[in-house]
Amino acid sequence: MSKNASQWNQHPKFPPSHFVDSRIYTDEQLFVEEREKIFNTCWIIACHESEIPNAYDYRTFFHPGGTSLIIVRGEDMKVRSFYNVCPHRGNTLLYDPVGNAKRITCIFHAWSFDSKGNCTDISREEQGFQKRFCKADAGLREVRAEVGFGGFVWVNTDDNACTLSEYLGDSLNMLHDNMSMPLEVFHYHKAVVDTNYKLWHDTNSEFYHDYMHYFNRVTGMLQPGYFDRKYTGYPNGHASVGSMEIKYDAYEGGKQRGVGWPALAPGGWILIDIFPGMTYNLRTSVLRMDTSIPLGPNKLLIEFRGLGLKSDTPEERAERIRDHNTIWGPFGRNLHEDLLGVHGQGRAMHPGSEPTWVLHGREENMTIHDEGGMRHFYAEWSRRMGRKSYDPYGERKTSAVA
Ligand code: FES
Ligand SMILES: [Fe+2]
């Protein structure tokens, strides 16, 4: 039955954990708060160690908290991170996304810094500052950085946050044996989508939308074991989806795949979502990593990386690249459908300014079409925001079910 305005505003007959208010995807005020309370307090993947293999290699990273960071490997081979900001007058230090710099020299007044963040030169230091200020007073602002859990470079702009290991807890245990050897990024691309970052994470947190993927219906949904996969939630909003065997050969006429992955059953699949917007997705021969960088409530930059083993032979690497690109590359069978699925989602759900409800109400014993993974995410979102995801401004009539 169609709805009039007052019927449309009545919440669904679910517990409040099973739906959210659509404004959490669209409101500028909430987005500003998310940067402060979520992105600037959580551990975030900035890049992978293999992208900066040599001393002085750097990468710039637009942190989802809203600032530009430098990730640089020092002459001691340690990876460090700094704000990409000159301590003189706040100029941006590095503009290129990637490079190698023994010295980082600000283009504005030529102050220089080494890979440990020390200031090594202040032009006309003595003449301008006499003894009042010197190089030792002008280091770069360091950001906490750790390398681990597959060789990713993690950063946290909150000096008081817990350690990375504490943040992740047991959430990545399922991948422990699969990531015991050095990995290497062989594919990188990014997409900018008109959507909210949470809606992208949702596509990685529920597989009910496999109905959208023709290919997944064949390789996954029709295969035995698909509906046995279970969601497991972990503290801090992370969640895993149990492994299953993917029958890619069901689509490809029974052709056997040559390259597998250490400690992964042939055709295996392990997916782990890390709060607030990173996903480890290991299938058959490739690890895919998604990292979400919101640019606004309705604008999202997603970085996609494909990884293989650093020890790959050229033949093994070529097969991994083929396996990756046919499914997950920009012209693959799967990814563009997900991007279409979230494009415009959120805005389109409430014509004009009228908020609506977004349902997370499916219960299937926490198996693959259960929406429990999303409910777990929004419970953490609510905890960190100090707001209810189903009633972010405390004015909706949800008390009857609450
Ligand atoms: S702003 Fe960088 S040297 Fe002046
Ligand atoms: Fe998908």
Side-chain angles (χ1 to χ4, degrees), residues 49-60 70-75 77 93-105 113-115:
E49 61 180 354
S50 64
E51 295 169 81
I52 45 171
N54 303 309
Y56 313 120
D57 282 350
Y58 71 79
R59 222 179 176 297
T60 51
I70 296 167
I71 314 295
V72 60
R73 191 180 287 278
E75 59 188 353
M77 299 306 278
L93 287 168
L94 293 171
Y95 288 87
D96 289 340
V98 61
N100 181 282
K102 205 165 190 173
R103 293 281 177 270
I104 297 168
T105 301
F113 306 89
D114 68 16
S115 57

Side-chain angles (χ1 to χ4, degrees), residues 105-117:
T105 301
C106 179
I107 59 169
F108 210 177
H109 313 94
W111 291 21
S112 283
F113 306 89
D114 68 16
S115 57
K116 292 181 178 173

Side-chain angles (χ1 to χ4, degrees), residues 30 46 93 107 120 130 153 158 192 197 201 244 263 270 283 309 311 322 346 348-349 353 360 400:
L30 293 176
L93 287 168
I107 59 169
T120 55
Q130 300 83 41
V153 180
D158 180 1
V192 178
Y197 77 92
H201 202 64
M244 77 166 286
I270 299 171
R283 277 197 196 193
L309 305 185
S311 60
R322 190 189 76 90
M349 285 184 293
S353 60
H360 297 155

Side-chain angles (χ1 to χ4, degrees), residues 10 59 78 87 93-94 115 127 130 155 169 204 215 257 292 306 320 325 340 382:
Q10 285 168 20
R59 222 179 176 297
K78 184 172 158 39
L93 287 168
L94 293 171
S115 57
Q127 293 90 334
Q130 300 83 41
V155 292
N204 280 328
F215 191 65
R257 309 189 79 76
S292 289
R320 286 193 211 283
N325 288 353
L340 274 172
S382 300

Side-chain angles (χ1 to χ4, degrees), residues 203-204 206-207 209-210 212-213 216 334 337-338:
T203 68
N204 280 328
E206 61 87 3
F207 291 88
H209 83 273
D210 270 342
M212 178 172 68
H213 298 302
N216 289 18
N334 179 299
E337 293 169 340
D338 287 312

